[in-house]
Amino acid sequence: APTEETLVLGVVSLVPASIKKWITISDEVMDLGGEAFLDYIYDEVTYQIAKKAAEQLVTAIVSAPTASTSTAVGIPVISASSISQSLVAEGLGNLSDNARDVVIIMNRATEAAFKAVQYAGKFATDIFEGLDREYTSALKSFSAATTGETFAIIGDLGEGAQANFPNGEEIRIKFDDTSLAEADLVKIVGREFVALGVVGPGCFVKLVKG
């Protein structure tokens, strides 16, 4: 006979907010009409917006509770007073089978601390278990973190997090050549309207300094 099970769903609110970055250049530079330069400006503004969105998602993961509620996804915590060879493997063991495309997110200085342990122990294995590495300054390095602070995140961003773009994924670029016209300046503004949140149970684990 077919088996039955109860499916329990929670409600996670994704509240969109505007991420805005801008740069001010002289209108003389604008008059030069160099496409390469303007492309660089567009790319840099777009990159900074994407970087800010990634940092906001990291902050959402860090601030998530350890136990799930009806309105929030819980993320387990592994406390470590030192970097060890088995720490990443322990983190992987706390993920559910929903986490498939797993990465480790950390400060570059934390990666160096992991590698120092690996080299000192003369281990032939990869301390990161083959995980892709994502770097962010939104997390402190292990050495700079204080007790209770998250220094690394292991998980599946695709399954565990959700981004919603109410106005579409395109980053909108606008020119403002009037408000600073008396100073012969042009402001180039980029904006993205996005909601970010943690939605997947068992898809993340936080490594916290003990």
Side-chain angles (χ1 to χ4, degrees), residues 12-36:
V12 176
S13 297
L14 296 178
V15 181
S18 180
I19 300 175
K20 184 185 295 184
K21 296 286 183 178
W22 64 85
I23 187 171
T24 302
I25 62 177
S26 67
D27 55 7
E28 287 91 345
V29 172
M30 288 294 300
D31 290 340
L32 293 176
E35 282 190 25

Side-chain angles (χ1 to χ4, degrees), residues 80-98:
S81 57
S82 63
I83 297 290
S84 67
Q85 172 74 15
S86 61
L87 188 55
V88 174
E90 185 181 352
L92 289 171
N94 279 266
L95 298 175
S96 73
D97 56 1
N98 291 329

Side-chain angles (χ1 to χ4, degrees), residues 36-101:
F37 177 75
L38 288 179
D39 287 345
Y40 166 76
I41 294 294
Y42 297 156
D43 289 345
E44 183 62 21
V45 171
T46 299
Y47 167 74
Q48 291 298 333
I49 290 175
K51 184 173 182 288
K52 182 64 176 180
E55 291 173 353
Q56 288 183 355
L57 180 56
V58 168
T59 300
I61 295 172
V62 169
S63 60
T66 55
S68 294
T69 67
S70 60
T71 58
V73 174
I75 297 178
V77 168
I78 295 177
S79 181
S81 57
S82 63
I83 297 290
S84 67
Q85 172 74 15
S86 61
L87 188 55
V88 174
E90 185 181 352
L92 289 171
N94 279 266
L95 298 175
S96 73
D97 56 1
N98 291 329
R100 291 166 292 187
D101 188 13

Side-chain angles (χ1 to χ4, degrees), residues 66-139:
T66 55
S68 294
T69 67
S70 60
T71 58
V73 174
I75 297 178
V77 168
I78 295 177
S79 181
S81 57
S82 63
I83 297 290
S84 67
Q85 172 74 15
S86 61
L87 188 55
V88 174
E90 185 181 352
L92 289 171
N94 279 266
L95 298 175
S96 73
D97 56 1
N98 291 329
R100 291 166 292 187
D101 188 13
V102 181
V103 301
I104 180 168
I105 307 168
M106 60 190 161
N107 189 295
R108 283 189 180 273
T110 299
E111 179 191 35
F114 273 110
K115 282 298 187 180
V117 169
Q118 179 177 332
Y119 298 151
K122 298 181 174 62
F123 291 101
T125 56
D126 178 11
I127 197 169
F128 293 113
E129 301 288 338
L131 298 178
D132 287 335
R133 278 154 273 182
E134 300 289 342
Y135 305 105
T136 177
S137 56
L139 294 175

Side-chain angles (χ1 to χ4, degrees), residues 175-190:
F175 287 88
D176 177 4
D177 57 359
T178 57
S179 61
L180 299 175
E182 73 281 1
D184 298 324
L185 296 174
V186 177
K187 183 180 289 186
I188 301 175
V189 183

